[in-house]
Amino acid sequence: MDIILQVENLKKNYGKITALKGISFEVKKGEIFALIGPNGAGKTTALRIIATLISPSEGKVFFRGRNIRENPDFVRENISYLPEEAGAYKNMKGIDYLKFMANFYAKDSREANTFIERAVNISGLGERLNDKVGTYSKGMIRKLLIARALMTKPLLAILDEPTSGLDVINALEIREIIREYVKEGTTVLLSSHNMLEIEFLSDRVALIDNGRILEIGTSEELKNRYSSRNLEEVFRRVVQ
Amino acid sequence: MKKFSNLLKKEIKELVTAQLIVSLIFTIILFNFMGSLIKSEAKKGFEKRNIYVLDLDRSNLSTEVLNNLSFGNFRIKLVNDLIEKEDKNLAIKYTKENNIDFLMVIPKDFEKSISKFKPKEVEIYSFIRSLSMGSSIGSSLINQVIDAINRFISNNFLKSKFPEVDPEVLKNPIKSKEFIVVKDKLAEGSSSQVISMIYSQSIFIPIILMMVIMFTSQMVLSAIAMEKQDKTLETLLTVPISRKQIVIAKMMGAGIVGIISAGIYMLGYRSFMGGIMGEVGTSEITSQIIQKLGLKLTTSGYILLGISLFLAILCALALSTILGVLAEDLKSAQSMILPLIFLIMIPYFLSFFSDINSLSLPIKIFVLAIPFSHPFLASSNILLGNYSLVFYGIIYMLVVFIILIFISARIFSTDKVLTMKLRFGGKKLFKKAS
């Protein structure tokens, strides 16, 4: 399997605070790779660096073999990043928001229409897309943003806590959307502190705590290695 | 370019909200309404006034005085024939009942006293029925009535004593001839008239400057603060468009909306001020003097003023972009604009009440260090031919703008765009991601 993303000894300091203490991992093409860990473990910092939002203090990240610091434009053209607390422009209609975002990625209006059509299908928001985003519920905004992130069929979709703050039904729907879309060739790198969700969703996971990666493997491998019934138990044993 | 125009369109759409349009329309309607109201009130005040007179003397002199007043800005109406008998109280009662504003009572023995050089009191009653501006202007006419009577009587006296001399020459034996010198140009005329005419014609320049700079700054601050508040900035920073283009699109969008809003606002304000000041009467002679002295903005003068204003707007936009990054949300952006308003208000008030050249050196340096001071000073410097000061101002603002735009582009291309925060009452913090 091709390696799409390679993270080498990544460190990040915010003044005196060290958010990442040298993490390394690889993401293979077409898989769902999850960073799991408690709040403040360093998941968002890692994803932000990979999405070219912030720069690392040390270490390197390669996307399709290219150093992301030297090729930020290449990275931005081929990834989609969904931040944990992302919002959309409240005064825009849902459909206009999708059009606005599609125009950054599409080569022409035909391709933009294809992206929008896909987003409409992914979101499942139907006629509500003609309403202003300001009238949407949290779940609807999240579906709109997921649709935005996946509509361009990016090589890598970076999803930070994709179901954070959503009710059970909405969270399930979003998980299904992500699962469905990986089948179409998109690689997903996501983070979550919901370990049961990750167990259901991801192919491989990295357990991260206090800025360090403690374990990497499939859910089954980790459960066997630590003789645990689920990832929560694995995490507890790894941390102890 | 396609991506940039996509972003620019979005910036403009985000700023042109229904609230903005409604508030602009409301402002124009309000200003127009206030302006026309003030105008009509002021007009009433300057209309020819009816003066009701009770002449208890019925002498030649009192008749002559009243005839003379009729030639002035007064319409004389004798009350004597309108009441039962010639009595002051009856006259007051009559004027009260008939909503009359002014009543003048010429006392008995008026002519006799005046001829013996004993001042006699002419009573004037003004009835206040409202406290509007029109009433205040009307009441000032009382002084004009007294002046007119005094002038008439004293001129008559002087004419009888010195028939061969003009009474005005006796009263004002010295005549003056004023000249105005501007650099190497000289013209005959009153400096106060010229200055007040230039002032009345250019009073809008500092107000326009202030409005435009404040509107555009507010717009760019809001644009960035809104991205932060609505949590859309992170997504925007990961789309395939350069950070420089994001900064420029934000500044351009805010600049366009800000200038249009300020323009619309100024139209309303101009109509309001037109009401207060009335139509500025342009005296032909004063216009000729202004022309002769070269105190008129030429095309190149307007271009220089335009460049100066444009650079000031760019400086304000770049500075607001930096302040916008420091703001956490729309609410804190409102506080962020305070230092900027302060920097604009200093030259704004100075341009009205003082002359920069008369300030002490440290204050002068401080004022000139504020980039927004230069367009405020530019119009008078252009009129007075001090072009070098205008050019220095333009170069200075260009340098400041380049530095500010470099800083804002740098902030946007680093982590600081997401981590920098300024909290009032606290210190600068760097927010740590989880």
Side-chain angles (χ1 to χ4, degrees), chain A residues 137-155:
Chain A
S137 67
K138 198 172 179 181
M140 289 166 77
I141 292 177
R142 209 63 185 161
K143 281 179 192 167
L144 181 76
L145 294 173
I146 288 274
R148 187 276 300 165
L150 299 176
M151 70 179 173
T152 56
K153 286 194 174 177
L155 290 177

Side-chain angles (χ1 to χ4, degrees), chain B residues 47-60:
Chain B
E47 275 170 2
K48 209 167 186 176
R49 288 295 176 124
N50 287 333
I51 306 274
Y52 282 73
V53 180
L54 175 65
D55 187 358
L56 297 173
D57 196 39
R58 294 274 196 173
S59 61
N60 285 339

Side-chain angles (χ1 to χ4, degrees), chain B residues 343-351 354-357 359-377 396-397:
Chain B
L343 288 178
I344 298 164
M345 292 311 264
I346 292 174
Y348 173 70
F349 282 112
L350 270 175
S351 67
S354 180
D355 173 22
I356 181 94
N357 295 315
L359 300 171
S360 65
L361 188 66
I363 298 177
K364 199 170 162 178
I365 292 171
F366 169 70
V367 173
L368 289 176
I370 301 169
F372 313 117
S373 298
H374 297 278
F376 284 100
L377 300 171
Y396 175 70
M397 283 191 288

Side-chain angles (χ1 to χ4, degrees), chain A residues 12 14 17 44-45 48 51-52 54-55 76 81 85 87 89-90 92 100-101 103-106 148, chain B residues 2-3 6-7 10 14 17 227 230-232 234-235 237-241 243 415 418-419 432-434:
Chain A
K12 179 67 185 176
Y14 293 102
I17 302 162
T44 297
T45 300
R48 279 178 159 190
T52 73
I54 57 175
S55 46
R76 287 173 196 154
Y81 173 56
E85 290 182 332
Y89 302 103
K90 285 177 188 166
M92 269 189 196
F100 166 66
M101 295 306 283
N103 281 334
F104 285 115
Y105 296 90
R148 187 276 300 165
Chain B
K2 195 189 95 190
K3 289 175 187 175
N6 183 38
L7 186 55
K10 173 247 154 194
E14 279 286 292
T17 56
E227 293 271 10
D230 296 345
K231 315 272 182 203
T232 49
E234 278 192 48
T235 309
L237 292 173
T238 57
V239 299
I241 183 167
R243 302 283 170 93
D415 305 5
L418 296 170
T419 55
K432 179 192 163 296
S434 65

Side-chain angles (χ1 to χ4, degrees), chain B residues 276-293:
Chain B
I276 290 179
M277 298 172 67
E279 294 303 313
V280 179
T282 319
S283 146
E284 190 59 37
I285 300 164
T286 318
S287 294
Q288 280 172 5
I289 299 167
I290 287 172
Q291 194 83 39
K292 201 171 174 187
L293 293 170

